[in-house]
Amino acid sequence: MALLPFLHGLARAAGDEPPIFVLNSKDADVSVIDPSTWEEIKRIPTGKEPHHLYLTPDEKSLIIANAFGDSLTFIDPRTAEVQRTVRGILDPYQLRFSPDMQWFVTAANRLNHVDIYRWDGENLTLAKRIPTRRTPSHIWIDAASTTAYVTMQDSSELVAIDIPTQKLLWRISTGTLPADVYGTPDGRHLLIGLTGGDGVEIYALGASPDVPPKLKQTLPTGEGAHAFRVVGDGRHVLVSNRVANTISKIDFVNLAVVDEYPGPSGPDCMDLTADGRYILLSSRWAGRLSVIDTQTRKVVRQVKVGKSPHGVWTLNHAPRQ
């Protein structure tokens, strides 16, 4: 294994790079990894079952959503110090800020609702709790910050919610166990990973948000298509195939799979290093952070973390647009 180019690409020197965070869902904590040494330098206790995480619009706080803990843990993304804990957020399984930074949306996977909060730059105020059907999973918010698209994992549906009025716009059926949802930058398509299938459904969006989208095609990627991570080049997005143990690279302009990488041991959430070369992957069944070189298509490193790692994130990442 040629480690010198690898280490050069991921860290200039010890302490120069912000840490990598991996959420250990079954341990109720966060592994903090130094990318210069690839050692776990500490664990941060959180509420029960941290699954997903999101950066505040001012980039000062990384929010860890603790689903069973009914809380949000705010962590400094540069120092890995806990800033505060916000309690009384019911079942925040998945979370997302609107692009205009005015709204914060959570999906309650266990309690079957979507919460829409107003965000004033520091505090959250619940605008409305919207009952849904079974197991809301992942959220995508359009560029206009007016529409939230949410997958319903166990009722195999996609719903759209008008954010300013907090009204349900429509509901459509999808394939089995829809998980992550991704909207293309041109506003024309939605991609949905089918964890109960072997590919990604691609929907053509309607002329306006209140018009339900239509299924355009199902793109085979691998069994258990689950989580997306945009590459940051304005053209490609990655999807982890949890059962197939692969990662597919999708050209969302031509709507085709153009490359494939290994994704060992139940690949779940991903981040991408700033240069776009290395995929940081939570290998959920192995309890490890896997690092994949996109040029050689090989796993170049694995770091032991906690039980059932889910969300993975670093401030030193490729663009998310």
Side-chain angles (χ1 to χ4, degrees), residues 88-109:
I89 309 294
L90 296 184
D91 190 20
Y93 173 76
Q94 231 264 348
L95 68 167
R96 183 173 288 272
F97 278 99
S98 60
D100 67 3
M101 306 177 189
Q102 302 299 308
W103 303 95
F104 181 76
V105 182
T106 63
N109 191 261

PDB file of all heavy atoms in Angstrom, residues 88-109:
ATOM      1  N   GLY A  88     -35.779  18.334  24.103  1.00  0.00           N
ATOM      2  CA  GLY A  88     -37.180  18.512  23.727  1.00  0.00           C
ATOM      3  C   GLY A  88     -37.415  18.512  22.234  1.00  0.00           C
ATOM      4  O   GLY A  88     -38.481  18.926  21.767  1.00  0.00           O
ATOM      5  N   ILE A  89     -36.429  18.064  21.458  1.00  0.00           N
ATOM      6  CA  ILE A  89     -36.578  17.897  20.008  1.00  0.00           C
ATOM      7  C   ILE A  89     -36.966  16.434  19.796  1.00  0.00           C
ATOM      8  O   ILE A  89     -36.128  15.537  19.902  1.00  0.00           O
ATOM      9  CB  ILE A  89     -35.285  18.240  19.259  1.00  0.00           C
ATOM     10  CG1 ILE A  89     -34.743  19.601  19.683  1.00  0.00           C
ATOM     11  CG2 ILE A  89     -35.507  18.159  17.748  1.00  0.00           C
ATOM     12  CD1 ILE A  89     -35.629  20.765  19.307  1.00  0.00           C
ATOM     13  N   LEU A  90     -38.227  16.165  19.502  1.00  0.00           N
ATOM     14  CA  LEU A  90     -38.725  14.795  19.522  1.00  0.00           C
ATOM     15  C   LEU A  90     -38.266  13.976  18.316  1.00  0.00           C
ATOM     16  O   LEU A  90     -38.588  14.298  17.176  1.00  0.00           O
ATOM     17  CB  LEU A  90     -40.263  14.783  19.590  1.00  0.00           C
ATOM     18  CG  LEU A  90     -40.887  15.386  20.856  1.00  0.00           C
ATOM     19  CD1 LEU A  90     -42.404  15.209  20.824  1.00  0.00           C
ATOM     20  CD2 LEU A  90     -40.297  14.766  22.119  1.00  0.00           C
ATOM     21  N   ASP A  91     -37.483  12.942  18.615  1.00  0.00           N
ATOM     22  CA  ASP A  91     -37.066  11.951  17.619  1.00  0.00           C
ATOM     23  C   ASP A  91     -36.442  12.579  16.374  1.00  0.00           C
ATOM     24  O   ASP A  91     -36.902  12.357  15.250  1.00  0.00           O
ATOM     25  CB  ASP A  91     -38.265  11.082  17.233  1.00  0.00           C
ATOM     26  CG  ASP A  91     -37.874   9.887  16.385  1.00  0.00           C
ATOM     27  OD1 ASP A  91     -36.687   9.498  16.393  1.00  0.00           O
ATOM     28  OD2 ASP A  91     -38.757   9.335  15.709  1.00  0.00           O
ATOM     29  N   PRO A  92     -35.369  13.348  16.535  1.00  0.00           N
ATOM     30  CA  PRO A  92     -34.723  13.938  15.351  1.00  0.00           C
ATOM     31  C   PRO A  92     -33.813  12.926  14.657  1.00  0.00           C
ATOM     32  O   PRO A  92     -32.602  12.890  14.874  1.00  0.00           O
ATOM     33  CB  PRO A  92     -33.920  15.097  15.943  1.00  0.00           C
ATOM     34  CG  PRO A  92     -33.534  14.600  17.308  1.00  0.00           C
ATOM     35  CD  PRO A  92     -34.685  13.730  17.771  1.00  0.00           C
ATOM     36  N   TYR A  93     -34.396  12.099  13.805  1.00  0.00           N
ATOM     37  CA  TYR A  93     -33.616  11.086  13.100  1.00  0.00           C
ATOM     38  C   TYR A  93     -32.786  11.723  11.984  1.00  0.00           C
ATOM     39  O   TYR A  93     -31.587  11.515  11.872  1.00  0.00           O
ATOM     40  CB  TYR A  93     -34.547  10.016  12.539  1.00  0.00           C
ATOM     41  CG  TYR A  93     -33.847   9.003  11.649  1.00  0.00           C
ATOM     42  CD1 TYR A  93     -33.063   7.988  12.194  1.00  0.00           C
ATOM     43  CD2 TYR A  93     -33.972   9.065  10.263  1.00  0.00           C
ATOM     44  CE1 TYR A  93     -32.410   7.080  11.394  1.00  0.00           C
ATOM     45  CE2 TYR A  93     -33.316   8.153   9.447  1.00  0.00           C
ATOM     46  CZ  TYR A  93     -32.539   7.167  10.015  1.00  0.00           C
ATOM     47  OH  TYR A  93     -31.881   6.261   9.207  1.00  0.00           O
ATOM     48  N   GLN A  94     -33.444  12.505  11.154  1.00  0.00           N
ATOM     49  CA  GLN A  94     -32.754  13.188  10.060  1.00  0.00           C
ATOM     50  C   GLN A  94     -33.024  14.676  10.166  1.00  0.00           C
ATOM     51  O   GLN A  94     -34.041  15.091  10.736  1.00  0.00           O
ATOM     52  CB  GLN A  94     -33.222  12.659   8.701  1.00  0.00           C
ATOM     53  CG  GLN A  94     -32.082  12.255   7.771  1.00  0.00           C
ATOM     54  CD  GLN A  94     -31.703  13.347   6.781  1.00  0.00           C
ATOM     55  OE1 GLN A  94     -32.414  14.326   6.613  1.00  0.00           O
ATOM     56  NE2 GLN A  94     -30.571  13.182   6.115  1.00  0.00           N
ATOM     57  N   LEU A  95     -32.123  15.503   9.644  1.00  0.00           N
ATOM     58  CA  LEU A  95     -32.234  16.946   9.825  1.00  0.00           C
ATOM     59  C   LEU A  95     -31.642  17.672   8.632  1.00  0.00           C
ATOM     60  O   LEU A  95     -30.757  17.159   7.946  1.00  0.00           O
ATOM     61  CB  LEU A  95     -31.517  17.376  11.106  1.00  0.00           C
ATOM     62  CG  LEU A  95     -29.984  17.270  11.157  1.00  0.00           C
ATOM     63  CD1 LEU A  95     -29.445  18.037  12.365  1.00  0.00           C
ATOM     64  CD2 LEU A  95     -29.480  15.838  11.204  1.00  0.00           C
ATOM     65  N   ARG A  96     -32.154  18.874   8.404  1.00  0.00           N
ATOM     66  CA  ARG A  96     -31.643  19.675   7.288  1.00  0.00           C
ATOM     67  C   ARG A  96     -32.058  21.130   7.454  1.00  0.00           C
ATOM     68  O   ARG A  96     -33.194  21.421   7.847  1.00  0.00           O
ATOM     69  CB  ARG A  96     -32.166  19.132   5.951  1.00  0.00           C
ATOM     70  CG  ARG A  96     -31.640  19.859   4.732  1.00  0.00           C
ATOM     71  CD  ARG A  96     -32.056  19.168   3.449  1.00  0.00           C
ATOM     72  NE  ARG A  96     -31.343  17.924   3.242  1.00  0.00           N
ATOM     73  CZ  ARG A  96     -30.173  17.821   2.615  1.00  0.00           C
ATOM     74  NH1 ARG A  96     -29.584  18.901   2.148  1.00  0.00           N
ATOM     75  NH2 ARG A  96     -29.603  16.649   2.447  1.00  0.00           N
ATOM     76  N   PHE A  97     -31.137  22.052   7.133  1.00  0.00           N
ATOM     77  CA  PHE A  97     -31.457  23.470   7.045  1.00  0.00           C
ATOM     78  C   PHE A  97     -31.904  23.796   5.625  1.00  0.00           C
ATOM     79  O   PHE A  97     -31.429  23.204   4.656  1.00  0.00           O
ATOM     80  CB  PHE A  97     -30.231  24.335   7.370  1.00  0.00           C
ATOM     81  CG  PHE A  97     -29.977  24.532   8.830  1.00  0.00           C
ATOM     82  CD1 PHE A  97     -29.027  23.775   9.491  1.00  0.00           C
ATOM     83  CD2 PHE A  97     -30.688  25.483   9.548  1.00  0.00           C
ATOM     84  CE1 PHE A  97     -28.785  23.952  10.833  1.00  0.00           C
ATOM     85  CE2 PHE A  97     -30.454  25.672  10.891  1.00  0.00           C
ATOM     86  CZ  PHE A  97     -29.504  24.911  11.551  1.00  0.00           C
ATOM     87  N   SER A  98     -32.791  24.782   5.505  1.00  0.00           N
ATOM     88  CA  SER A  98     -33.159  25.279   4.187  1.00  0.00           C
ATOM     89  C   SER A  98     -32.020  26.141   3.644  1.00  0.00           C
ATOM     90  O   SER A  98     -31.265  26.744   4.413  1.00  0.00           O
ATOM     91  CB  SER A  98     -34.444  26.107   4.272  1.00  0.00           C
ATOM     92  OG  SER A  98     -34.260  27.222   5.133  1.00  0.00           O
ATOM     93  N   PRO A  99     -31.855  26.212   2.318  1.00  0.00           N
ATOM     94  CA  PRO A  99     -30.769  27.019   1.750  1.00  0.00           C
ATOM     95  C   PRO A  99     -30.803  28.487   2.158  1.00  0.00           C
ATOM     96  O   PRO A  99     -29.749  29.117   2.235  1.00  0.00           O
ATOM     97  CB  PRO A  99     -30.981  26.858   0.232  1.00  0.00           C
ATOM     98  CG  PRO A  99     -31.628  25.518   0.087  1.00  0.00           C
ATOM     99  CD  PRO A  99     -32.544  25.413   1.278  1.00  0.00           C
ATOM    100  N   ASP A 100     -32.000  29.045   2.418  1.00  0.00           N
ATOM    101  CA  ASP A 100     -32.065  30.449   2.839  1.00  0.00           C
ATOM    102  C   ASP A 100     -31.774  30.629   4.330  1.00  0.00           C
ATOM    103  O   ASP A 100     -31.811  31.745   4.844  1.00  0.00           O
ATOM    104  CB  ASP A 100     -33.416  31.072   2.484  1.00  0.00           C
ATOM    105  CG  ASP A 100     -34.579  30.476   3.274  1.00  0.00           C
ATOM    106  OD1 ASP A 100     -34.351  29.611   4.144  1.00  0.00           O
ATOM    107  OD2 ASP A 100     -35.729  30.883   3.005  1.00  0.00           O
ATOM    108  N   MET A 101     -31.517  29.516   5.025  1.00  0.00           N
ATOM    109  CA  MET A 101     -31.101  29.521   6.426  1.00  0.00           C
ATOM    110  C   MET A 101     -32.191  29.998   7.387  1.00  0.00           C
ATOM    111  O   MET A 101     -31.902  30.365   8.526  1.00  0.00           O
ATOM    112  CB  MET A 101     -29.831  30.368   6.612  1.00  0.00           C
ATOM    113  CG  MET A 101     -28.690  29.967   5.705  1.00  0.00           C
ATOM    114  SD  MET A 101     -27.247  31.031   5.891  1.00  0.00           S
ATOM    115  CE  MET A 101     -26.230  30.463   4.524  1.00  0.00           C
ATOM    116  N   GLN A 102     -33.435  29.967   6.945  1.00  0.00           N
ATOM    117  CA  GLN A 102     -34.540  30.422   7.790  1.00  0.00           C
ATOM    118  C   GLN A 102     -35.278  29.278   8.465  1.00  0.00           C
ATOM    119  O   GLN A 102     -35.987  29.494   9.454  1.00  0.00           O
ATOM    120  CB  GLN A 102     -35.542  31.221   6.942  1.00  0.00           C
ATOM    121  CG  GLN A 102     -34.953  32.428   6.243  1.00  0.00           C
ATOM    122  CD  GLN A 102     -34.396  33.442   7.203  1.00  0.00           C
ATOM    123  OE1 GLN A 102     -35.068  33.871   8.138  1.00  0.00           O
ATOM    124  NE2 GLN A 102     -33.142  33.831   6.994  1.00  0.00           N
ATOM    125  N   TRP A 103     -35.111  28.063   7.937  1.00  0.00           N
ATOM    126  CA  TRP A 103     -35.899  26.931   8.415  1.00  0.00           C
ATOM    127  C   TRP A 103     -35.006  25.739   8.734  1.00  0.00           C
ATOM    128  O   TRP A 103     -33.966  25.530   8.093  1.00  0.00           O
ATOM    129  CB  TRP A 103     -36.932  26.509   7.355  1.00  0.00           C
ATOM    130  CG  TRP A 103     -37.856  27.597   6.929  1.00  0.00           C
ATOM    131  CD1 TRP A 103     -37.708  28.415   5.841  1.00  0.00           C
ATOM    132  CD2 TRP A 103     -39.065  27.991   7.573  1.00  0.00           C
ATOM    133  NE1 TRP A 103     -38.756  29.294   5.757  1.00  0.00           N
ATOM    134  CE2 TRP A 103     -39.615  29.065   6.811  1.00  0.00           C
ATOM    135  CE3 TRP A 103     -39.758  27.556   8.703  1.00  0.00           C
ATOM    136  CZ2 TRP A 103     -40.799  29.687   7.154  1.00  0.00           C
ATOM    137  CZ3 TRP A 103     -40.942  28.173   9.051  1.00  0.00           C
ATOM    138  CH2 TRP A 103     -41.447  29.229   8.285  1.00  0.00           C
ATOM    139  N   PHE A 104     -35.458  24.935   9.688  1.00  0.00           N
ATOM    140  CA  PHE A 104     -34.764  23.712  10.104  1.00  0.00           C
ATOM    141  C   PHE A 104     -35.817  22.616  10.174  1.00  0.00           C
ATOM    142  O   PHE A 104     -36.846  22.773  10.839  1.00  0.00           O
ATOM    143  CB  PHE A 104     -34.125  23.937  11.480  1.00  0.00           C
ATOM    144  CG  PHE A 104     -33.363  22.760  12.023  1.00  0.00           C
ATOM    145  CD1 PHE A 104     -32.109  22.440  11.545  1.00  0.00           C
ATOM    146  CD2 PHE A 104     -33.890  21.999  13.071  1.00  0.00           C
ATOM    147  CE1 PHE A 104     -31.390  21.372  12.076  1.00  0.00           C
ATOM    148  CE2 PHE A 104     -33.185  20.934  13.605  1.00  0.00           C
ATOM    149  CZ  PHE A 104     -31.931  20.625  13.110  1.00  0.00           C
ATOM    150  N   VAL A 105     -35.576  21.508   9.466  1.00  0.00           N
ATOM    151  CA  VAL A 105     -36.578  20.452   9.337  1.00  0.00           C
ATOM    152  C   VAL A 105     -36.002  19.149   9.886  1.00  0.00           C
ATOM    153  O   VAL A 105     -34.852  18.798   9.601  1.00  0.00           O
ATOM    154  CB  VAL A 105     -37.000  20.264   7.867  1.00  0.00           C
ATOM    155  CG1 VAL A 105     -38.073  19.192   7.742  1.00  0.00           C
ATOM    156  CG2 VAL A 105     -37.509  21.593   7.287  1.00  0.00           C
ATOM    157  N   THR A 106     -36.807  18.426  10.683  1.00  0.00           N
ATOM    158  CA  THR A 106     -36.392  17.120  11.188  1.00  0.00           C
ATOM    159  C   THR A 106     -37.442  16.075  10.823  1.00  0.00           C
ATOM    160  O   THR A 106     -38.632  16.369  10.758  1.00  0.00           O
ATOM    161  CB  THR A 106     -36.198  17.126  12.718  1.00  0.00           C
ATOM    162  OG1 THR A 106     -37.444  17.412  13.363  1.00  0.00           O
ATOM    163  CG2 THR A 106     -35.153  18.141  13.133  1.00  0.00           C
ATOM    164  N   ALA A 107     -36.970  14.850  10.601  1.00  0.00           N
ATOM    165  CA  ALA A 107     -37.851  13.715  10.324  1.00  0.00           C
ATOM    166  C   ALA A 107     -37.808  12.782  11.520  1.00  0.00           C
ATOM    167  O   ALA A 107     -36.738  12.325  11.921  1.00  0.00           O
ATOM    168  CB  ALA A 107     -37.410  12.989   9.062  1.00  0.00           C
ATOM    169  N   ALA A 108     -38.978  12.493  12.094  1.00  0.00           N
ATOM    170  CA  ALA A 108     -39.085  11.617  13.266  1.00  0.00           C
ATOM    171  C   ALA A 108     -39.356  10.197  12.795  1.00  0.00           C
ATOM    172  O   ALA A 108     -40.505   9.794  12.609  1.00  0.00           O
ATOM    173  CB  ALA A 108     -40.177  12.108  14.203  1.00  0.00           C
ATOM    174  N   ASN A 109     -38.303   9.437  12.615  1.00  0.00           N
ATOM    175  CA  ASN A 109     -38.369   8.082  12.076  1.00  0.00           C
ATOM    176  C   ASN A 109     -39.190   7.148  12.959  1.00  0.00           C
ATOM    177  O   ASN A 109     -39.888   6.264  12.476  1.00  0.00           O
ATOM    178  CB  ASN A 109     -36.931   7.566  11.928  1.00  0.00           C
ATOM    179  CG  ASN A 109     -36.809   6.287  11.157  1.00  0.00           C
ATOM    180  OD1 ASN A 109     -36.707   5.226  11.744  1.00  0.00           O
ATOM    181  ND2 ASN A 109     -36.787   6.372   9.834  1.00  0.00           N
TER     182      ASN A 109
END
